[in-house]
């Protein structure tokens, strides 16, 4: 049996436009750019997603399957579908981490001018900019990579095994969602890694992100 749920919210946060909100964009971006002059340094973008996994628990319970007692027997995968790849190398890695603070999706788009600031961004978690991330770029357990995926000469659709993450949510760990970013030093070194655009929950296609 396969059960599918979709995000209750998602957005992209941008280091190079740290105050903008993009909660209503049809695209989630995971990127890394380096200025041509090198003087502006590395600028990253990361995707944030949150799912109501109680939907899964309720659906399984109706079928006599209890997520708490079925630990080890159920598998959960985060799937994200690529829309466009820009200047991406032949090989790269994507990783997912637990978010540790609540955040507002917001109502902005990257294309808005003037930009919309109501919602989370690289610096703040809340629509009124009243609460900052403890560390800019999102609060997450950097030492605990929940899942990662490597790509070599293939299109970048993501399928991350986040079973351990969902099991923790099902047994009482606070669910603030997932942050998806380039893995490890691929965010910090001086190598250009380009941009990956994935369909968001706002897409008008059949490819929104999901957990299955």
């Amino acid at each position: 049996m396969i059960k599918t749920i979709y995000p209750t919210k998602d957005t992209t946060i941008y280091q190079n436009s740290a105050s903008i909100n993009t909660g209503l964009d049809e695209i989630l971006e995971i990127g890394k750019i380096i200025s041509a002059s090198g003087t502006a340094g590395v600028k990253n973008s990361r995707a944030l997603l949150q799912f109501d996994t109680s939907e899964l628990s309720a659906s399984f319970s109706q079928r006599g399957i209890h997520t708490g007692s079925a630990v080890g027997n159920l598998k959960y995968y985060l799937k994200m579908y690529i829309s466009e790849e820009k200047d991406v190398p032949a090989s790269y890695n994507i990783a997912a981490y637990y978010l540790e603070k609540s955040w507002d999706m917001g109502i902005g788009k990257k294309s808005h001018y003037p930009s919309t600031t109501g919602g989370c961004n690289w610096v703040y978690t809340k629509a009124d900019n009243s609460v900052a991330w403890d560390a800019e770029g999102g609060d997450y357990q950097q030492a605990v990579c929940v899942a990662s995926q490597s790509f070599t000469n293939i299109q970048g659709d993501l399928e991350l095994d986040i079973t351990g993450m969902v099991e923790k949510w099902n047994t009482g760990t606070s669910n603030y969602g997932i942050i998806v970013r380039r893995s490890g030093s691929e965010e910090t070194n001086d190598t250009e890694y380009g941009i990956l655009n994935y369909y968001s929950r706002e897409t008008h296609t059949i490819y929104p992100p999901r957990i299955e």
Side-chain angles (χ1 to χ4, degrees):
M1 180 182 71
I2 297 176
K3 173 67 178 176
T4 301
I5 61 170
Y6 301 97
T8 55
K9 57 184 179 181
D10 61 17
T11 192
T12 302
I13 55 175
Y14 292 87
Q15 190 174 13
N16 65 335
S17 301
S19 65
I20 69 168
N21 172 262
T22 62
L24 293 186
D25 265 348
E26 297 175 18
I27 291 296
L28 295 172
E29 180 179 307
I30 300 171
K32 174 189 172 186
I33 58 175
I34 301 175
S35 67
S37 65
T39 58
V42 174
K43 301 295 183 182
N44 292 290
S45 52
R46 300 168 176 169
L48 280 60
L49 308 94
Q50 189 168 15
F51 295 83
D52 181 3
T53 54
S54 66
E55 292 181 34
L56 291 171
S57 300
S59 177
F60 290 143
S61 181
Q62 291 174 358
R63 293 166 173 78
I65 302 170
H66 300 284
T67 53
S69 58
V71 170
N73 297 318
L74 301 174
K75 302 292 286 185
Y76 304 95
Y77 294 91
L78 171 65
K79 296 187 176 183
M80 297 172 64
Y81 299 94
I82 197 75
S83 167
E84 184 180 18
E85 299 174 326
K86 300 177 183 178
D87 302 320
V88 175
S91 298
Y92 61 91
N93 301 279
I94 301 295
Y97 300 80
Y98 293 98
L99 276 167
E100 296 186 301
K101 187 177 286 186
S102 63
W103 49 282
D104 292 341
M105 186 178 85
I107 56 172
K109 288 189 174 183
K110 190 178 182 181
S111 61
H112 280 175
Y113 183 81
S115 62
T116 300
T117 57
C120 79
N121 54 48
W122 191 264
V123 179
Y124 292 100
T125 70
K126 297 296 183 181
D128 60 359
N129 288 349
S130 62
V131 180
W133 297 110
D134 292 337
E136 291 186 4
D139 296 345
Y140 59 98
Q141 298 180 26
Q142 297 188 38
V144 183
C145 176
V146 175
S148 63
Q149 187 171 349
S150 299
F151 296 87
T152 301
N153 296 319
I154 57 174
Q155 190 177 28
D157 286 349
L158 276 175
E159 184 171 326
L160 296 170
D161 184 347
I162 59 167
T163 301
M165 176 183 284
V166 177
E167 286 178 345
K168 286 189 175 182
W169 291 338
N170 288 339
T171 54
T173 297
S174 296
N175 175 4
Y176 298 119
I178 307 166
I179 187 167
V180 187
R181 44 157 283 185
R182 293 202 178 276
S183 180
S185 63
E186 289 184 17
E187 269 206 340
T188 58
N189 63 25
D190 60 0
T191 302
E192 180 73 55
Y193 275 93
I195 294 171
L196 297 160
N197 287 331
Y198 297 91
Y199 294 106
S200 79
R201 70 189 294 273
E202 303 297 331
T203 183
H204 299 293
T205 73
I206 61 172
Y207 300 111
R210 63 198 68 184
I211 290 178
E212 290 183 345

